[in-house]
Amino acid sequence: MQERSLDRAQAHKPIVIEVGGEPLGVVVPNAEGFRFLAVKLPAFVVDGQQFETVEKAHFAVSQAVRGAVELD
């Protein structure tokens, strides 16, 4: 029984999203896909958004960071 709960915990483990080697947030798996939670200012425009895949979340964060750099 304990093994089963460990498997479930592993399935819900946050996945770090990095851009240019800098961690900007995590995606947390849920029933609808993955929710992004930002930890650095450039990624906060994407904070709380839902994505179908980790790759789509990573792309959105990359675009947000790229847009923030272009505004500076």
Side-chain angles (χ1 to χ4, degrees):
M1 183 139 150
Q2 187 175 4
E3 280 184 34
R4 192 172 281 156
S5 64
L6 290 175
D7 291 341
R8 200 172 329 151
Q10 187 71 14
H12 294 289
K13 189 173 181 179
I15 301 163
V16 176
I17 300 291
E18 294 182 2
V19 176
E22 181 177 1
L24 296 173
V26 297
V27 289
V28 180
N30 63 28
E32 292 81 37
F34 299 89
R35 180 169 305 279
F36 179 74
L37 304 171
V39 296
K40 295 278 181 121
L41 189 59
F44 271 89
V45 297
V46 188
D47 187 54
Q49 290 186 25
Q50 188 76 27
F51 298 94
E52 293 176 10
T53 66
V54 174
E55 291 77 15
K56 287 183 179 182
H58 187 270
F59 181 75
V61 174
S62 297
Q63 293 298 102
V65 169
R66 190 169 295 138
V69 170
E70 290 174 2
L71 292 175
D72 287 344

Short mmCIF file of all heavy atoms in Angstrom, two decimals:
data_model
loop_
_atom_site.label_atom_id
_atom_site.label_comp_id
_atom_site.label_asym_id
_atom_site.label_seq_id
_atom_site.Cartn_x
_atom_site.Cartn_y
_atom_site.Cartn_z
N MET A 1 0.81 -1.19 0.00
CA MET A 1 0.00 0.00 0.00
C MET A 1 0.86 1.26 0.00
O MET A 1 0.56 2.20 -0.68
CB MET A 1 -0.93 -0.01 1.19
CG MET A 1 -1.85 1.18 1.17
SD MET A 1 -3.45 0.63 1.68
CE MET A 1 -4.04 2.09 2.42
N GLN A 2 1.94 1.26 0.73
CA GLN A 2 2.80 2.41 0.76
C GLN A 2 3.41 2.67 -0.62
O GLN A 2 3.54 3.82 -1.02
CB GLN A 2 3.89 2.24 1.80
CG GLN A 2 4.71 3.49 1.99
CD GLN A 2 5.71 3.35 3.11
OE1 GLN A 2 5.84 2.29 3.71
NE2 GLN A 2 6.43 4.39 3.40
N GLU A 3 3.77 1.63 -1.35
CA GLU A 3 4.33 1.80 -2.68
C GLU A 3 3.37 2.53 -3.59
O GLU A 3 3.77 3.38 -4.37
CB GLU A 3 4.67 0.44 -3.31
CG GLU A 3 5.96 -0.13 -2.84
CD GLU A 3 6.30 -1.41 -3.54
OE1 GLU A 3 5.97 -1.55 -4.73
OE2 GLU A 3 6.88 -2.29 -2.90
N ARG A 4 2.10 2.19 -3.52
CA ARG A 4 1.11 2.83 -4.37
C ARG A 4 1.05 4.33 -4.09
O ARG A 4 0.98 5.14 -5.01
CB ARG A 4 -0.25 2.19 -4.14
CG ARG A 4 -1.27 2.59 -5.17
CD ARG A 4 -2.54 1.79 -5.04
NE ARG A 4 -2.35 0.49 -5.65
CZ ARG A 4 -3.02 -0.59 -5.34
NH1 ARG A 4 -3.95 -0.55 -4.41
NH2 ARG A 4 -2.79 -1.73 -5.95
N SER A 5 1.09 4.76 -2.83
CA SER A 5 1.06 6.18 -2.51
C SER A 5 2.33 6.88 -2.97
O SER A 5 2.29 8.03 -3.37
CB SER A 5 0.81 6.41 -1.02
OG SER A 5 1.89 5.90 -0.26
N LEU A 6 3.45 6.19 -2.94
CA LEU A 6 4.68 6.78 -3.44
C LEU A 6 4.61 6.98 -4.95
O LEU A 6 5.06 8.00 -5.47
CB LEU A 6 5.88 5.90 -3.09
CG LEU A 6 6.28 5.86 -1.62
CD1 LEU A 6 7.41 4.86 -1.41
CD2 LEU A 6 6.68 7.23 -1.12
N ASP A 7 4.02 6.05 -5.68
CA ASP A 7 3.85 6.20 -7.12
C ASP A 7 2.98 7.41 -7.43
O ASP A 7 3.26 8.17 -8.34
CB ASP A 7 3.23 4.94 -7.73
CG ASP A 7 4.18 3.76 -7.72
OD1 ASP A 7 5.40 3.98 -7.58
OD2 ASP A 7 3.69 2.62 -7.84
N ARG A 8 1.92 7.58 -6.68
CA ARG A 8 1.01 8.71 -6.89
C ARG A 8 1.74 10.03 -6.61
O ARG A 8 1.59 11.00 -7.34
CB ARG A 8 -0.19 8.57 -5.98
CG ARG A 8 -1.37 9.37 -6.42
CD ARG A 8 -2.61 9.06 -5.63
NE ARG A 8 -2.60 7.68 -5.18
CZ ARG A 8 -3.18 7.23 -4.10
NH1 ARG A 8 -3.86 8.04 -3.34
NH2 ARG A 8 -3.11 5.97 -3.74
N ALA A 9 2.54 10.09 -5.56
CA ALA A 9 3.30 11.30 -5.24
C ALA A 9 4.29 11.62 -6.35
O ALA A 9 4.47 12.77 -6.71
CB ALA A 9 4.02 11.13 -3.91
N GLN A 10 4.92 10.61 -6.89
CA GLN A 10 5.87 10.81 -7.98
C GLN A 10 5.16 11.37 -9.21
O GLN A 10 5.69 12.22 -9.91
CB GLN A 10 6.55 9.47 -8.33
CG GLN A 10 7.67 9.59 -9.33
CD GLN A 10 8.90 10.26 -8.77
OE1 GLN A 10 9.05 10.43 -7.58
NE2 GLN A 10 9.78 10.66 -9.65
N ALA A 11 3.95 10.92 -9.48
CA ALA A 11 3.20 11.37 -10.65
C ALA A 11 2.81 12.84 -10.55
O ALA A 11 2.60 13.50 -11.56
CB ALA A 11 1.95 10.52 -10.83
N HIS A 12 2.73 13.39 -9.34
CA HIS A 12 2.33 14.78 -9.13
C HIS A 12 3.51 15.68 -8.80
O HIS A 12 3.32 16.80 -8.37
CB HIS A 12 1.27 14.87 -8.04
CG HIS A 12 0.00 14.21 -8.44
ND1 HIS A 12 -0.84 14.74 -9.39
CD2 HIS A 12 -0.57 13.05 -8.04
CE1 HIS A 12 -1.87 13.93 -9.56
NE2 HIS A 12 -1.73 12.90 -8.75
N LYS A 13 4.71 15.20 -8.99
CA LYS A 13 5.91 15.96 -8.68
C LYS A 13 6.07 17.13 -9.67
O LYS A 13 5.94 16.93 -10.88
CB LYS A 13 7.12 15.03 -8.75
CG LYS A 13 8.38 15.64 -8.25
CD LYS A 13 9.48 14.62 -8.21
CE LYS A 13 10.74 15.25 -7.68
NZ LYS A 13 11.82 14.28 -7.61
N PRO A 14 6.35 18.33 -9.18
CA PRO A 14 6.55 19.48 -10.08
C PRO A 14 7.75 19.26 -11.00
O PRO A 14 8.73 18.62 -10.64
CB PRO A 14 6.83 20.64 -9.12
CG PRO A 14 6.31 20.19 -7.80
CD PRO A 14 6.45 18.70 -7.78
N ILE A 15 7.65 19.82 -12.19
CA ILE A 15 8.71 19.74 -13.19
C ILE A 15 9.23 21.15 -13.42
O ILE A 15 8.47 22.07 -13.73
CB ILE A 15 8.16 19.16 -14.51
CG1 ILE A 15 7.59 17.76 -14.26
CG2 ILE A 15 9.25 19.14 -15.59
CD1 ILE A 15 6.69 17.26 -15.36
N VAL A 16 10.53 21.34 -13.25
CA VAL A 16 11.15 22.66 -13.38
C VAL A 16 11.20 23.07 -14.84
O VAL A 16 11.56 22.29 -15.72
CB VAL A 16 12.57 22.66 -12.77
CG1 VAL A 16 13.25 24.00 -12.99
CG2 VAL A 16 12.52 22.31 -11.29
N ILE A 17 10.86 24.35 -15.10
CA ILE A 17 10.96 24.94 -16.43
C ILE A 17 12.11 25.93 -16.39
O ILE A 17 12.11 26.89 -15.63
CB ILE A 17 9.66 25.67 -16.83
CG1 ILE A 17 8.47 24.71 -16.85
CG2 ILE A 17 9.84 26.38 -18.17
CD1 ILE A 17 8.49 23.68 -17.93
N GLU A 18 13.12 25.67 -17.23
CA GLU A 18 14.29 26.54 -17.32
C GLU A 18 14.36 27.16 -18.71
O GLU A 18 14.00 26.52 -19.69
CB GLU A 18 15.57 25.75 -17.10
CG GLU A 18 15.73 25.18 -15.72
CD GLU A 18 17.05 24.45 -15.55
OE1 GLU A 18 17.87 24.41 -16.49
OE2 GLU A 18 17.26 23.90 -14.47
N VAL A 19 14.83 28.39 -18.77
CA VAL A 19 15.11 29.05 -20.04
C VAL A 19 16.51 29.62 -19.93
O VAL A 19 16.81 30.38 -19.01
CB VAL A 19 14.09 30.17 -20.34
CG1 VAL A 19 14.46 30.90 -21.62
CG2 VAL A 19 12.68 29.59 -20.44
N GLY A 20 17.37 29.23 -20.84
CA GLY A 20 18.75 29.68 -20.80
C GLY A 20 19.47 29.24 -19.54
O GLY A 20 20.34 29.95 -19.04
N GLY A 21 19.10 28.09 -19.00
CA GLY A 21 19.74 27.56 -17.80
C GLY A 21 19.23 28.16 -16.51
O GLY A 21 19.69 27.79 -15.43
N GLU A 22 18.28 29.08 -16.59
CA GLU A 22 17.74 29.72 -15.38
C GLU A 22 16.35 29.17 -15.07
O GLU A 22 15.45 29.24 -15.91
CB GLU A 22 17.65 31.23 -15.57
CG GLU A 22 17.13 31.94 -14.36
CD GLU A 22 17.11 33.45 -14.54
OE1 GLU A 22 17.48 33.95 -15.60
OE2 GLU A 22 16.72 34.12 -13.58
N PRO A 23 16.15 28.62 -13.88
CA PRO A 23 14.82 28.12 -13.52
C PRO A 23 13.85 29.30 -13.35
O PRO A 23 14.14 30.25 -12.64
CB PRO A 23 15.03 27.40 -12.20
CG PRO A 23 16.40 27.73 -11.74
CD PRO A 23 17.13 28.40 -12.84
N LEU A 24 12.73 29.23 -14.06
CA LEU A 24 11.75 30.32 -14.02
C LEU A 24 10.43 29.92 -13.38
O LEU A 24 9.61 30.77 -13.07
CB LEU A 24 11.49 30.83 -15.43
CG LEU A 24 12.71 31.46 -16.09
CD1 LEU A 24 12.43 31.78 -17.54
CD2 LEU A 24 13.13 32.71 -15.36
N GLY A 25 10.22 28.63 -13.18
CA GLY A 25 8.99 28.16 -12.56
C GLY A 25 8.90 26.66 -12.65
O GLY A 25 9.85 25.99 -13.05
N VAL A 26 7.73 26.15 -12.30
CA VAL A 26 7.47 24.72 -12.38
C VAL A 26 6.11 24.50 -13.01
O VAL A 26 5.24 25.37 -12.96
CB VAL A 26 7.51 24.04 -10.99
CG1 VAL A 26 8.89 24.15 -10.37
CG2 VAL A 26 6.46 24.60 -10.06
N VAL A 27 5.93 23.32 -13.60
CA VAL A 27 4.61 22.88 -14.01
C VAL A 27 4.21 21.74 -13.09
O VAL A 27 5.03 20.90 -12.72
CB VAL A 27 4.53 22.45 -15.49
CG1 VAL A 27 4.64 23.65 -16.40
CG2 VAL A 27 5.57 21.43 -15.85
N VAL A 28 2.95 21.78 -12.69
CA VAL A 28 2.41 20.77 -11.80
C VAL A 28 1.34 20.00 -12.56
O VAL A 28 0.40 20.60 -13.08
CB VAL A 28 1.81 21.42 -10.55
CG1 VAL A 28 1.24 20.38 -9.61
CG2 VAL A 28 2.84 22.28 -9.84
N PRO A 29 1.49 18.68 -12.67
CA PRO A 29 0.48 17.89 -13.38
C PRO A 29 -0.86 17.93 -12.65
O PRO A 29 -0.91 17.96 -11.42
CB PRO A 29 1.03 16.47 -13.36
CG PRO A 29 2.43 16.57 -12.89
CD PRO A 29 2.58 17.85 -12.16
N ASN A 30 -1.94 18.00 -13.42
CA ASN A 30 -3.28 17.88 -12.86
C ASN A 30 -4.18 17.21 -13.90
O ASN A 30 -3.71 16.79 -14.95
CB ASN A 30 -3.83 19.24 -12.39
CG ASN A 30 -3.98 20.23 -13.52
OD1 ASN A 30 -4.19 19.87 -14.66
ND2 ASN A 30 -3.91 21.50 -13.19
N ALA A 31 -5.45 17.12 -13.62
CA ALA A 31 -6.38 16.38 -14.49
C ALA A 31 -6.47 16.97 -15.90
O ALA A 31 -6.70 16.25 -16.86
CB ALA A 31 -7.77 16.34 -13.85
N GLU A 32 -6.29 18.28 -16.04
CA GLU A 32 -6.41 18.93 -17.34
C GLU A 32 -5.10 19.05 -18.10
O GLU A 32 -5.07 19.55 -19.21
CB GLU A 32 -7.01 20.34 -17.18
CG GLU A 32 -8.46 20.35 -16.73
CD GLU A 32 -8.61 20.14 -15.23
OE1 GLU A 32 -7.76 20.66 -14.47
OE2 GLU A 32 -9.54 19.44 -14.82
N GLY A 33 -3.99 18.68 -17.50
CA GLY A 33 -2.69 18.81 -18.14
C GLY A 33 -1.65 19.26 -17.14
O GLY A 33 -1.34 18.55 -16.19
N PHE A 34 -1.13 20.48 -17.35
CA PHE A 34 -0.07 21.02 -16.49
C PHE A 34 -0.33 22.49 -16.21
O PHE A 34 -0.57 23.27 -17.13
CB PHE A 34 1.30 20.87 -17.18
CG PHE A 34 1.67 19.44 -17.45
CD1 PHE A 34 1.30 18.83 -18.63
CD2 PHE A 34 2.37 18.71 -16.52
CE1 PHE A 34 1.62 17.50 -18.90
CE2 PHE A 34 2.71 17.39 -16.76
CZ PHE A 34 2.33 16.79 -17.95
N ARG A 35 -0.25 22.89 -14.95
CA ARG A 35 -0.40 24.29 -14.56
C ARG A 35 0.99 24.85 -14.25
O ARG A 35 1.76 24.25 -13.52
CB ARG A 35 -1.29 24.42 -13.33
CG ARG A 35 -1.48 25.87 -12.89
CD ARG A 35 -2.55 26.04 -11.86
NE ARG A 35 -3.83 25.50 -12.26
CZ ARG A 35 -4.70 26.13 -13.06
NH1 ARG A 35 -4.41 27.31 -13.55
NH2 ARG A 35 -5.86 25.57 -13.33
N PHE A 36 1.28 26.03 -14.82
CA PHE A 36 2.58 26.67 -14.62
C PHE A 36 2.52 27.60 -13.42
O PHE A 36 1.59 28.39 -13.27
CB PHE A 36 2.98 27.47 -15.86
CG PHE A 36 4.29 28.18 -15.68
CD1 PHE A 36 5.48 27.47 -15.71
CD2 PHE A 36 4.34 29.55 -15.47
CE1 PHE A 36 6.70 28.11 -15.53
CE2 PHE A 36 5.56 30.20 -15.29
CZ PHE A 36 6.73 29.48 -15.32
N LEU A 37 3.54 27.50 -12.57
CA LEU A 37 3.69 28.37 -11.40
C LEU A 37 5.04 29.07 -11.50
O LEU A 37 6.09 28.42 -11.44
CB LEU A 37 3.60 27.56 -10.11
CG LEU A 37 2.31 26.74 -9.95
CD1 LEU A 37 2.42 25.81 -8.76
CD2 LEU A 37 1.12 27.65 -9.83
N ALA A 38 5.02 30.37 -11.68
CA ALA A 38 6.25 31.14 -11.86
C ALA A 38 6.97 31.37 -10.55
O ALA A 38 6.34 31.50 -9.50
CB ALA A 38 5.92 32.49 -12.50
N VAL A 39 8.31 31.43 -10.63
CA VAL A 39 9.12 31.77 -9.47
C VAL A 39 10.05 32.96 -9.74
O VAL A 39 10.68 33.46 -8.83
CB VAL A 39 9.95 30.56 -8.95
CG1 VAL A 39 9.04 29.46 -8.47
CG2 VAL A 39 10.91 30.06 -10.00
N LYS A 40 10.12 33.40 -11.00
CA LYS A 40 10.96 34.55 -11.37
C LYS A 40 10.10 35.56 -12.13
O LYS A 40 9.20 35.20 -12.90
CB LYS A 40 12.13 34.13 -12.25
CG LYS A 40 13.13 33.21 -11.59
CD LYS A 40 14.12 33.98 -10.76
CE LYS A 40 15.11 33.06 -10.13
NZ LYS A 40 16.46 33.29 -10.46
N LEU A 41 10.39 36.83 -11.95
CA LEU A 41 9.59 37.92 -12.49
C LEU A 41 9.28 37.82 -13.99
O LEU A 41 8.12 37.99 -14.38
CB LEU A 41 10.26 39.26 -12.17
CG LEU A 41 9.45 40.50 -12.48
CD1 LEU A 41 8.13 40.49 -11.71
CD2 LEU A 41 10.25 41.73 -12.16
N PRO A 42 10.24 37.53 -14.88
CA PRO A 42 9.90 37.50 -16.30
C PRO A 42 8.84 36.47 -16.68
O PRO A 42 8.16 36.62 -17.69
CB PRO A 42 11.23 37.15 -16.99
CG PRO A 42 12.29 37.47 -16.00
CD PRO A 42 11.66 37.29 -14.65
N ALA A 43 8.65 35.46 -15.86
CA ALA A 43 7.71 34.38 -16.17
C ALA A 43 6.32 34.61 -15.56
O ALA A 43 5.40 33.84 -15.83
CB ALA A 43 8.27 33.05 -15.70
N PHE A 44 6.14 35.68 -14.80
CA PHE A 44 4.87 35.87 -14.12
C PHE A 44 3.71 36.15 -15.07
O PHE A 44 2.56 35.96 -14.71
CB PHE A 44 4.97 36.96 -13.05
CG PHE A 44 5.38 36.40 -11.72
CD1 PHE A 44 6.72 36.28 -11.39
CD2 PHE A 44 4.44 35.95 -10.81
CE1 PHE A 44 7.11 35.74 -10.18
CE2 PHE A 44 4.82 35.40 -9.60
CZ PHE A 44 6.16 35.30 -9.28
N VAL A 45 3.97 36.56 -16.30
CA VAL A 45 2.89 36.75 -17.27
C VAL A 45 2.23 35.43 -17.63
O VAL A 45 1.11 35.40 -18.13
CB VAL A 45 3.35 37.50 -18.54
CG1 VAL A 45 3.81 38.90 -18.20
CG2 VAL A 45 4.43 36.75 -19.27
N VAL A 46 2.90 34.31 -17.39
CA VAL A 46 2.38 32.98 -17.71
C VAL A 46 1.89 32.27 -16.44
O VAL A 46 1.28 31.21 -16.52
CB VAL A 46 3.49 32.14 -18.42
CG1 VAL A 46 2.94 30.84 -18.94
CG2 VAL A 46 4.12 32.93 -19.56
N ASP A 47 2.10 32.86 -15.27
CA ASP A 47 1.76 32.23 -14.00
C ASP A 47 0.30 31.81 -13.94
O ASP A 47 -0.60 32.58 -14.29
CB ASP A 47 2.05 33.20 -12.85
CG ASP A 47 1.89 32.54 -11.50
OD1 ASP A 47 2.52 31.51 -11.26
OD2 ASP A 47 1.11 33.08 -10.68
N GLY A 48 0.08 30.57 -13.53
CA GLY A 48 -1.26 30.05 -13.35
C GLY A 48 -1.92 29.50 -14.60
O GLY A 48 -3.00 28.93 -14.54
N GLN A 49 -1.28 29.67 -15.76
CA GLN A 49 -1.88 29.17 -17.00
C GLN A 49 -1.80 27.66 -17.08
O GLN A 49 -0.89 27.03 -16.55
CB GLN A 49 -1.21 29.81 -18.21
CG GLN A 49 -1.52 31.28 -18.36
CD GLN A 49 -0.98 31.85 -19.64
OE1 GLN A 49 -0.77 31.15 -20.62
NE2 GLN A 49 -0.74 33.15 -19.63
N GLN A 50 -2.77 27.10 -17.78
CA GLN A 50 -2.88 25.66 -17.98
C GLN A 50 -2.35 25.29 -19.37
O GLN A 50 -2.63 25.99 -20.34
CB GLN A 50 -4.37 25.29 -17.88
CG GLN A 50 -4.66 23.85 -17.88
CD GLN A 50 -4.34 23.21 -16.54
OE1 GLN A 50 -4.38 23.84 -15.51
NE2 GLN A 50 -4.01 21.95 -16.58
N PHE A 51 -1.60 24.20 -19.47
CA PHE A 51 -1.04 23.73 -20.74
C PHE A 51 -1.30 22.25 -20.91
O PHE A 51 -1.35 21.50 -19.95
CB PHE A 51 0.47 24.00 -20.79
CG PHE A 51 0.80 25.46 -20.71
CD1 PHE A 51 1.10 26.06 -19.50
CD2 PHE A 51 0.80 26.24 -21.85
CE1 PHE A 51 1.38 27.41 -19.42
CE2 PHE A 51 1.08 27.59 -21.79
CZ PHE A 51 1.37 28.18 -20.57
N GLU A 52 -1.42 21.83 -22.17
CA GLU A 52 -1.65 20.41 -22.48
C GLU A 52 -0.41 19.57 -22.22
O GLU A 52 -0.51 18.42 -21.83
CB GLU A 52 -2.07 20.25 -23.94
CG GLU A 52 -3.41 20.83 -24.27
CD GLU A 52 -3.73 20.72 -25.75
OE1 GLU A 52 -2.99 20.03 -26.49
OE2 GLU A 52 -4.71 21.33 -26.17
N THR A 53 0.77 20.16 -22.48
CA THR A 53 2.03 19.43 -22.34
C THR A 53 3.07 20.31 -21.66
O THR A 53 2.96 21.54 -21.64
CB THR A 53 2.60 18.99 -23.70
OG1 THR A 53 2.96 20.17 -24.45
CG2 THR A 53 1.60 18.15 -24.49
N VAL A 54 4.11 19.67 -21.15
CA VAL A 54 5.25 20.40 -20.57
C VAL A 54 5.93 21.22 -21.66
O VAL A 54 6.36 22.35 -21.42
CB VAL A 54 6.24 19.41 -19.91
CG1 VAL A 54 7.50 20.13 -19.44
CG2 VAL A 54 5.57 18.67 -18.77
N GLU A 55 6.02 20.68 -22.86
CA GLU A 55 6.68 21.37 -23.96
C GLU A 55 5.97 22.67 -24.31
O GLU A 55 6.60 23.69 -24.58
CB GLU A 55 6.76 20.46 -25.20
CG GLU A 55 7.70 19.28 -25.04
CD GLU A 55 7.12 18.13 -24.20
OE1 GLU A 55 5.89 18.10 -23.95
OE2 GLU A 55 7.92 17.28 -23.77
N LYS A 56 4.63 22.65 -24.30
CA LYS A 56 3.86 23.87 -24.59
C LYS A 56 4.07 24.91 -23.49
O LYS A 56 4.15 26.11 -23.77
CB LYS A 56 2.38 23.55 -24.77
CG LYS A 56 2.11 22.84 -26.08
CD LYS A 56 0.63 22.58 -26.28
CE LYS A 56 0.41 21.89 -27.62
NZ LYS A 56 -1.01 21.66 -27.89
N ALA A 57 4.17 24.46 -22.25
CA ALA A 57 4.44 25.38 -21.15
C ALA A 57 5.83 26.00 -21.31
O ALA A 57 6.00 27.21 -21.16
CB ALA A 57 4.34 24.65 -19.81
N HIS A 58 6.80 25.17 -21.65
CA HIS A 58 8.17 25.66 -21.84
C HIS A 58 8.22 26.69 -22.96
O HIS A 58 8.87 27.74 -22.84
CB HIS A 58 9.12 24.50 -22.13
CG HIS A 58 10.55 24.92 -22.18
ND1 HIS A 58 11.15 25.34 -23.33
CD2 HIS A 58 11.48 25.01 -21.20
CE1 HIS A 58 12.40 25.66 -23.07
NE2 HIS A 58 12.62 25.47 -21.78
N PHE A 59 7.53 26.43 -24.06
CA PHE A 59 7.51 27.37 -25.18
C PHE A 59 6.89 28.71 -24.75
O PHE A 59 7.42 29.78 -25.07
CB PHE A 59 6.73 26.77 -26.36
CG PHE A 59 6.69 27.69 -27.54
CD1 PHE A 59 7.80 27.85 -28.35
CD2 PHE A 59 5.53 28.38 -27.85
CE1 PHE A 59 7.77 28.71 -29.43
CE2 PHE A 59 5.48 29.24 -28.93
CZ PHE A 59 6.60 29.41 -29.73
N ALA A 60 5.77 28.66 -24.02
CA ALA A 60 5.11 29.89 -23.58
C ALA A 60 6.01 30.70 -22.65
O ALA A 60 6.08 31.93 -22.76
CB ALA A 60 3.79 29.55 -22.88
N VAL A 61 6.70 30.03 -21.74
CA VAL A 61 7.61 30.72 -20.84
C VAL A 61 8.78 31.32 -21.62
O VAL A 61 9.16 32.47 -21.40
CB VAL A 61 8.12 29.77 -19.73
CG1 VAL A 61 9.18 30.45 -18.87
CG2 VAL A 61 6.95 29.31 -18.86
N SER A 62 9.31 30.58 -22.58
CA SER A 62 10.40 31.10 -23.42
C SER A 62 9.97 32.35 -24.16
O SER A 62 10.72 33.33 -24.23
CB SER A 62 10.84 30.04 -24.44
OG SER A 62 11.36 28.91 -23.80
N GLN A 63 8.76 32.33 -24.71
CA GLN A 63 8.24 33.49 -25.44
C GLN A 63 8.05 34.67 -24.49
O GLN A 63 8.35 35.81 -24.85
CB GLN A 63 6.91 33.14 -26.12
CG GLN A 63 7.05 32.13 -27.24
CD GLN A 63 7.92 32.64 -28.37
OE1 GLN A 63 9.08 32.27 -28.49
NE2 GLN A 63 7.37 33.49 -29.18
N ALA A 64 7.56 34.43 -23.30
CA ALA A 64 7.36 35.51 -22.32
C ALA A 64 8.69 36.14 -21.93
O ALA A 64 8.79 37.36 -21.86
CB ALA A 64 6.67 34.95 -21.08
N VAL A 65 9.71 35.31 -21.71
CA VAL A 65 11.03 35.82 -21.34
C VAL A 65 11.62 36.60 -22.50
O VAL A 65 12.18 37.69 -22.33
CB VAL A 65 11.95 34.68 -20.88
CG1 VAL A 65 13.39 35.15 -20.74
CG2 VAL A 65 11.44 34.10 -19.58
N ARG A 66 11.49 36.08 -23.69
CA ARG A 66 12.01 36.74 -24.89
C ARG A 66 11.33 38.10 -25.05
O ARG A 66 11.98 39.11 -25.34
CB ARG A 66 11.78 35.88 -26.12
CG ARG A 66 12.49 36.39 -27.34
CD ARG A 66 12.46 35.40 -28.46
NE ARG A 66 13.23 34.21 -28.08
CZ ARG A 66 12.87 32.97 -28.33
NH1 ARG A 66 11.75 32.71 -28.96
NH2 ARG A 66 13.61 31.97 -27.96
N GLY A 67 10.01 38.18 -24.82
CA GLY A 67 9.28 39.44 -24.91
C GLY A 67 9.72 40.43 -23.86
O GLY A 67 9.85 41.62 -24.12
N ALA A 68 10.01 39.97 -22.65
CA ALA A 68 10.46 40.84 -21.57
C ALA A 68 11.84 41.41 -21.89
O ALA A 68 12.11 42.58 -21.62
CB ALA A 68 10.49 40.09 -20.25
N VAL A 69 12.70 40.60 -22.48
CA VAL A 69 14.05 41.06 -22.84
C VAL A 69 13.97 42.12 -23.94
O VAL A 69 14.67 43.12 -23.92
CB VAL A 69 14.94 39.87 -23.28
CG1 VAL A 69 16.25 40.35 -23.88
CG2 VAL A 69 15.21 38.96 -22.09
N GLU A 70 13.07 41.92 -24.92
CA GLU A 70 12.94 42.87 -26.02
C GLU A 70 12.40 44.20 -25.55
O GLU A 70 12.67 45.24 -26.14
CB GLU A 70 12.03 42.29 -27.10
CG GLU A 70 12.69 41.13 -27.84
CD GLU A 70 11.76 40.44 -28.82
OE1 GLU A 70 10.60 40.86 -28.98
OE2 GLU A 70 12.21 39.46 -29.42
N LEU A 71 11.61 44.24 -24.44
CA LEU A 71 11.06 45.47 -23.92
C LEU A 71 12.10 46.31 -23.18
O LEU A 71 11.93 47.51 -23.04
CB LEU A 71 9.88 45.17 -22.98
CG LEU A 71 8.65 44.59 -23.64
CD1 LEU A 71 7.62 44.23 -22.57
CD2 LEU A 71 8.04 45.55 -24.64
N ASP A 72 13.16 45.67 -22.69
CA ASP A 72 14.19 46.40 -21.91
C ASP A 72 15.02 47.32 -22.77
O ASP A 72 15.13 47.35 -23.89
CB ASP A 72 15.12 45.41 -21.21
CG ASP A 72 14.42 44.75 -20.03
OD1 ASP A 72 13.38 45.27 -19.60
OD2 ASP A 72 14.91 43.71 -19.56
#
